[in-house]
Amino acid sequence: MTKKPMSVHEVVKLTGITARTLHYYDKIGLLKPTIVTEAGYRMYDETELSRLQNILLFRELEFPLKEIKAILDSPNFDPSEAIAHQIELLELKCKRIVELITFAREIQNKGVATMNFDVFDKSEMEKYKTEVKEKWGNTKAYQEYRQKDIARNKGSYSKIAKELMTIFSDFGELKHLTPDADEVQKKILALQKFITDNYYVCTNEILNGLGEMYVGDERFKNNIDKAGGDGTADFVKQAIVVYCSKKQEK
């Protein structure tokens, strides 16, 4: 039997969030009440409470409200996949908190001379969050990727994938050079153009993120190193850093 909708007061009591927050979520279209009574009371059923649960989990993981709305409104959103991603992100957050506690205790025991800023590094968690946002974020880049993905699935996917691996193979042939060498930088430009032409508009920001992923994600790293030889993924990442830094200087 379906439970009757809950009032704002009941939702506040259940979740611990404020009525003001619920009203704001309604205002921005993030969480609309199921019904509004003639007296003006907002009521929320199980569907909206389930959405609220997702909102609160993503908020706990520091996703901005705008991105949460895009994710939950995406036609590709899968609740079962979402909870799996949320668990993995929460585990990463838990691991980081434990490391911070350990670090703080070291300072307490050894004094402020303890210097280790690695514990403040959030890159692993941010990389995973980026993957979630790209998958469900309904961003312009993702929509472009989906449109081009349809074209790839009509028979050209394997050809495009092979061409991309050829580019990484070319990078393997350039590893005797420094990452800032003109020939290497021209190849980075070619890589950026290839991604834009076949996947989505590859801005310098996106390209920089891809560089991080090439070395941080074992799947990418293994495939790139397979195409260009050991160390190719790291070489490409270094070359991307140089390329993007030069673009910022201009």
Side-chain angles (χ1 to χ4, degrees):
M1 182 177 179
T2 304
K3 296 179 180 178
K4 69 175 185 177
M6 299 178 70
S7 65
V8 169
H9 175 73
E10 289 172 322
V11 173
V12 167
K13 188 176 179 181
L14 175 69
T15 64
I17 66 173
T18 65
R20 184 177 180 180
T21 297
L22 281 175
H23 292 166
Y24 181 67
Y25 287 175
D26 181 10
K27 180 180 178 181
I28 64 175
L30 178 60
L31 182 74
K32 306 292 289 185
T34 308
I35 57 170
V36 179
T37 67
E38 292 183 1
Y41 292 106
R42 294 174 169 84
M43 307 295 290
Y44 299 84
D45 67 9
E46 289 180 341
T47 299
E48 297 310 315
L49 290 175
S50 177
R51 182 179 173 94
L52 176 58
Q53 192 173 61
N54 269 306
I55 292 169
L56 296 179
L57 279 169
F58 278 123
R59 284 298 288 157
E60 190 65 32
L61 293 165
E62 301 174 19
F63 279 70
L65 293 177
K66 183 178 180 180
E67 291 176 358
I68 295 174
K69 185 177 185 301
I71 289 170
L72 297 182
D73 290 345
S74 171
N76 305 297
F77 180 71
D78 184 333
S80 61
E81 282 190 55
I83 192 64
H85 287 302
Q86 287 163 347
I87 289 171
E88 187 154 356
L89 280 166
L90 287 167
E91 287 175 342
L92 288 172
K93 185 175 183 179
C94 180
K95 175 187 172 187
R96 183 168 180 272
I97 290 173
V98 170
E99 290 173 349
L100 284 169
I101 292 171
T102 302
F103 176 61
R105 282 178 175 158
E106 285 181 6
I107 293 176
Q108 186 181 47
N109 295 330
K110 300 179 182 179
V112 293
T114 301
M115 291 294 177
N116 175 18
F117 293 95
D118 291 343
V119 293
F120 299 104
D121 184 8
K122 299 172 71 174
S123 60
E124 184 179 6
M125 188 170 179
E126 290 303 318
K127 179 177 76 70
Y128 198 91
K129 285 169 67 174
T130 299
E131 289 184 6
V132 173
K133 285 183 265 187
E134 287 180 352
K135 184 168 186 177
W136 292 316
N138 209 27
T139 61
K140 182 180 179 182
Y142 178 76
Q143 292 305 320
E144 289 172 351
Y145 171 81
R146 286 296 301 154
Q147 290 172 7
K148 291 176 181 178
D149 191 45
I150 292 172
R152 288 196 299 275
N153 287 335
K154 289 181 178 178
S156 60
Y157 182 84
S158 60
K159 179 176 179 292
I160 292 171
K162 286 179 180 178
E163 289 176 1
L164 180 59
M165 287 301 106
T166 298
I167 292 175
F168 289 126
S169 177
D170 292 341
F171 276 113
E173 298 295 323
L174 299 174
K175 283 187 296 183
H176 64 285
L177 301 173
T178 59
D180 62 347
D182 288 344
E183 193 173 350
V184 177
Q185 289 299 298
K186 287 178 181 178
K187 184 60 66 172
I188 292 295
L189 177 62
L191 173 64
Q192 185 179 40
K193 184 177 185 304
F194 182 86
I195 293 170
T196 295
D197 291 344
N198 295 281
Y199 295 94
Y200 42 75
V201 175
C202 186
T203 63
N204 291 337
E205 183 180 5
I206 289 176
L207 181 65
N208 202 40
L210 288 173
E212 294 292 338
M213 194 178 296
Y214 290 160
V215 296
D217 189 309
E218 286 300 318
R219 296 165 297 179
F220 283 99
K221 188 176 186 299
N222 291 338
N223 285 332
I224 293 171
D225 283 355
K226 184 177 179 180
D230 290 345
T232 301
D234 188 61
F235 180 72
V236 173
K237 188 254 186 183
Q238 292 178 44
I240 287 174
V241 170
V242 173
Y243 178 87
C244 291
S245 63
K246 285 184 177 178
K247 291 292 183 180
Q248 289 177 348
E249 291 172 1
K250 292 181 179 180

